[in-house]
Amino acid sequence: MSTEAPNPFPPSTRTVFFVSDGTGITAETFGHAVLSQFEMRFRPVRLPFIDSIDKAHEAARRINDSFAMDGQNPIVFSTLVKPELSLVIRQSKGMHMDLFQTFVAPLEQELGVKSTHTIGRIHNVVDTEEYKNRIEAINFSLAHDDGQSHKNLAEADVILVGVSRSGKTPTSLYLAMQYGLKAANYPLIPDDFERGRLPSALPQFKHKLFGLTISPERLSQIRNERRAGSKYASLENCRFEVNEAEMLMRREGIRWLSSTTKSIEEIATTILQEIKPDRREY
Amino acid sequence: MSTEAPNPFPPSTRTVFFVSDGTGITAETFGHAVLSQFEMRFRPVRLPFIDSIDKAHEAARRINDSFAMDGQNPIVFSTLVKPELSLVIRQSKGMHMDLFQTFVAPLEQELGVKSTHTIGRIHNVVDTEEYKNRIEAINFSLAHDDGQSHKNLAEADVILVGVSRSGKTPTSLYLAMQYGLKAANYPLIPDDFERGRLPSALPQFKHKLFGLTISPERLSQIRNERRAGSKYASLENCRFEVNEAEMLMRREGIRWLSSTTKSIEEIATTILQEIKPDRREY
């Protein structure tokens, strides 16, 4: 690790460290969520794979350097399962949010068992069934993106439908990546509207279908970023397609939501609530 | 919301609730990380979008029902930014890990500003530059999967190379989804080994190249799951390909890592450390 470069951000920017014995993704996800509650700017520094006393001292040195440079406490979010590593970090300058130590002790008491203090368990899971399912789900979702394949649709956990650029592809990939769901997606295109029917591969899987719609204005904006000035992107055409798609979904009794102001995460969570019980266990 | 179904898990299984005013992804990521430290089974129940007093009371009722059914405290991880909603949940039966309230008050003191208590800020970001970049990165990574396109490689943040099934595709998508990086990937195939050179589109982007390798045994196992008994999947052929790919990468001075025992998250984090400074701010 090299010495901290000079801080290029304004003095009101607070430096935030994410220190972890694993990838640091948990610390960063959590820290990002908490810090988004503050109207300030933060400069994130990720310190993953801090899994030895030597690395912990090096991390502590970087935190101290940051304090010296900024003249203010850095915020430190840490997920370190070994108490001795956590202690080294907590002794550095800064405001420490020790995520594991804060919650592990009370959980040990409630559950009546000791925690294993095993480093990197959360993402060190390559040999587990759950991980294999996730990789398989990603491959499935890719192979079934944009109606590319009709094969094995019976295996799909969900099949998203909607007009082109309504958010089907990123949502499918997110469902696969985050939840291990096999998510196919099919575009609804002018041919389908003319026939007034769903693409022929789909009606037999109606219980797995979920629709995405979007406001014509937003759709036109998104399409114009890709094909500026085309008929495809025109507001008139977007109005037509969205209207036809919504009529089709309503007629076929397909559940749907509008992606206009929703992030991938919000869409995925809503779909999960609709199509799937909490069957997972870990 | 319907009444809790009878618990199908053994009595030693503890019910865990993830309660959030947004997607609950932060609560679940964090809860999963902490609980993976315990050698027990957990039954997760997700309660997202709890953003009103009525919904909070309904959630509290479900938590109380779970207590009555299991005869033991459910574990409750919550990320609720409104103190009044958080209070309703904390008054239910269970062991409560109130992630925001625990850390927000000390942060307010350290930062000298009040938190905004704005619900769902973290994933309610559709109009931000960061979110648009992420969606664009996902589209880019998909379009540049498996060497499909040579176009706009200059825009790529990273180009992964490696033999077929070494983990390039899921890693590329994860880098795009999680970090908003434009991640292309190119397979190294027998043609390249014969010529003893990288695919012709790549040498000019050598500073962006990152290699994935894998043990021949693991590769053969993965390939056999797709094409059992093929030459492609045979251990002998996997040994040949991996050896040639590693020689090629060494000769070309490409940084690489072995994906054999690493999860997508671990691979992505390592690549991020190698190719990219912490330039993001939020």
Side-chain angles (χ1 to χ4, degrees):
Chain A
M1 284 178 220
S2 61
T3 310
E4 216 60 46
N7 187 340
F9 299 110
S12 65
T13 301
R14 201 60 87 100
T15 303
V16 182
F17 286 89
F18 301 106
V19 186
S20 173
D21 46 43
T23 63
I25 291 166
T26 301
E28 195 172 357
T29 303
F30 181 73
H32 195 160
V34 172
L35 295 178
S36 73
Q37 294 298 312
F38 293 91
E39 302 274 8
M40 284 180 61
R41 301 186 78 85
F42 298 97
R43 172 180 167 256
V45 181
R46 239 174 267 124
L47 301 178
F49 306 125
I50 304 297
D51 55 6
S52 70
I53 287 282
D54 282 355
K55 288 184 194 165
H57 280 294
E58 173 65 20
R61 196 188 58 69
R62 289 190 64 177
I63 295 168
N64 287 335
D65 285 354
S66 161
F67 173 79
M69 188 124 34
D70 296 354
Q72 54 185 3
N73 273 331
I75 312 295
V76 183
F77 290 93
S78 62
T79 51
L80 294 160
V81 302
K82 300 264 188 211
E84 60 271 28
L85 301 187
S86 173
L87 185 65
V88 171
I89 299 299
R90 280 206 313 275
Q91 286 169 345
S92 66
K93 299 280 184 186
M95 190 205 175
H96 290 273
M97 318 274 183
D98 188 331
L99 303 185
F100 280 2
Q101 307 307 322
T102 304
F103 292 111
V104 165
L107 266 171
E108 285 181 337
Q109 193 159 15
E110 171 66 36
L111 297 172
V113 292
K114 283 279 173 196
S115 72
T116 58
H117 295 302
T118 314
I119 279 180
R121 275 197 68 172
I122 174 74
H123 292 298
N124 186 1
V125 290
V126 176
D127 286 326
T128 63
E129 267 318 292
E130 190 189 336
Y131 186 76
K132 279 183 203 157
N133 288 345
R134 227 178 120 210
I135 296 292
E136 209 182 308
I138 294 169
N139 289 329
F140 182 95
S141 300
L142 265 179
H144 294 79
D145 182 39
D146 204 31
Q148 277 178 68
S149 169
H150 300 197
K151 265 173 51 184
N152 306 327
L153 278 182
E155 278 178 39
D157 292 303
V158 59
I159 303 170
L160 301 181
V161 295
V163 300
S164 162
R165 296 288 132 190
S166 56
K168 301 182 300 300
T169 295
T171 303
S172 301
L173 291 174
Y174 189 82
L175 285 167
M177 192 84 82
Q178 178 80 11
Y179 297 113
L181 293 188
K182 292 181 177 173
N185 76 76
Y186 263 75
L188 296 179
I189 59 176
D191 283 2
D192 302 315
F193 307 143
E194 256 172 51
R195 295 187 310 125
R197 286 208 302 269
L198 289 171
S200 59
L202 300 186
Q204 59 175 313
F205 301 115
K206 203 176 276 183
H207 57 292
K208 299 180 187 183
L209 296 184
F210 199 96
L212 296 187
T213 192
I214 184 169
S215 82
E217 291 73 18
R218 174 98 180 115
L219 181 62
S220 173
Q221 185 191 344
I222 293 171
R223 288 182 172 185
N224 265 308
E225 280 165 23
R226 293 173 72 90
R227 298 202 218 153
S230 63
K231 184 194 167 209
Y232 164 81
S234 73
L235 184 55
E236 193 192 347
N237 181 56
C238 290
R239 281 203 179 113
F240 169 77
E241 286 194 30
V242 167
N243 187 41
E244 290 285 329
E246 291 185 359
M247 283 200 310
L248 182 56
M249 293 191 289
R250 201 174 286 119
R251 209 160 53 229
E252 298 280 352
I254 297 172
R255 294 156 295 179
W256 44 281
L257 63 78
S258 168
S259 68
T260 310
T261 60
K262 286 196 165 68
S263 66
I264 309 173
E265 283 83 355
E266 291 169 321
I267 301 169
T269 304
T270 305
I271 292 172
L272 206 66
Q273 290 291 100
E274 287 286 328
I275 61 143
K276 210 175 151 61
D278 289 289
R279 67 170 159 113
R280 296 188 317 152
E281 193 186 358
Y282 52 78
Chain B
M1 285 177 219
S2 62
T3 310
E4 216 60 46
N7 187 339
F9 299 110
S12 65
T13 301
R14 199 62 86 103
T15 303
V16 182
F17 286 90
F18 301 105
V19 186
S20 173
D21 47 42
T23 62
I25 291 166
T26 301
E28 195 174 356
T29 302
F30 180 73
H32 196 159
V34 171
L35 295 177
S36 73
Q37 293 298 313
F38 293 91
E39 301 275 6
M40 284 181 63
R41 300 186 79 87
F42 297 97
R43 171 179 168 257
V45 181
R46 239 174 267 125
L47 301 177
F49 306 124
I50 303 299
D51 54 7
S52 71
I53 286 282
D54 282 357
K55 287 183 195 166
H57 280 295
E58 172 65 20
R61 196 190 57 68
R62 290 191 64 178
I63 295 168
N64 287 335
D65 284 355
S66 161
F67 173 79
M69 188 123 33
D70 296 353
Q72 55 186 2
N73 272 331
I75 311 295
V76 184
F77 290 93
S78 62
T79 51
L80 293 161
V81 302
K82 300 263 188 211
E84 60 270 29
L85 302 186
S86 173
L87 185 64
V88 171
I89 298 301
R90 279 206 313 275
Q91 285 168 347
S92 66
K93 299 277 185 188
M95 189 205 174
H96 290 273
M97 318 274 180
D98 189 329
L99 302 185
F100 280 3
Q101 307 307 322
T102 303
F103 292 112
V104 164
L107 266 172
E108 284 182 337
Q109 192 159 12
E110 170 65 37
L111 297 173
V113 292
K114 283 279 174 198
S115 72
T116 57
H117 294 302
T118 314
I119 280 181
R121 275 197 68 172
I122 173 73
H123 293 298
N124 186 0
V125 289
V126 176
D127 286 326
T128 63
E129 265 322 288
E130 190 188 336
Y131 187 76
K132 278 182 202 158
N133 288 345
R134 226 177 119 211
I135 296 292
E136 209 182 305
I138 294 169
N139 290 329
F140 182 94
S141 301
L142 265 179
H144 293 80
D145 183 39
D146 205 32
Q148 275 177 73
S149 168
H150 299 198
K151 262 174 52 184
N152 306 327
L153 278 182
E155 277 178 38
D157 292 302
V158 59
I159 304 171
L160 301 181
V161 294
V163 299
S164 160
R165 294 291 132 190
S166 55
K168 300 182 300 299
T169 295
T171 303
S172 301
L173 292 173
Y174 189 83
L175 284 167
M177 191 86 81
Q178 178 80 12
Y179 297 111
L181 294 188
K182 293 182 175 171
N185 76 76
Y186 263 74
L188 296 179
I189 59 176
D191 284 1
D192 303 313
F193 307 142
E194 256 173 52
R195 296 187 309 124
R197 287 208 300 268
L198 290 171
S200 58
L202 301 186
Q204 58 175 314
F205 300 114
K206 201 175 277 182
H207 57 292
K208 298 180 184 181
L209 296 184
F210 198 96
L212 297 186
T213 192
I214 183 169
S215 82
E217 292 72 20
R218 175 98 180 116
L219 182 62
S220 173
Q221 186 191 346
I222 293 171
R223 288 183 172 184
N224 265 307
E225 280 165 23
R226 294 173 72 91
R227 297 203 219 152
S230 64
K231 185 196 167 207
Y232 166 79
S234 72
L235 184 55
E236 194 192 343
N237 180 56
C238 290
R239 281 205 178 112
F240 169 77
E241 286 193 29
V242 168
N243 187 41
E244 290 285 329
E246 292 186 359
M247 283 200 311
L248 182 57
M249 293 192 289
R250 201 172 288 122
R251 209 160 52 228
E252 299 279 352
I254 297 172
R255 294 155 295 180
W256 44 283
L257 64 77
S258 168
S259 68
T260 311
T261 60
K262 286 195 166 67
S263 66
I264 308 173
E265 283 83 356
E266 290 169 322
I267 300 169
T269 304
T270 304
I271 291 172
L272 207 66
Q273 291 290 101
E274 286 285 329
I275 61 144
K276 211 174 151 60
D278 288 288
R279 68 173 158 111
R280 296 188 315 155
E281 195 184 357
Y282 50 77

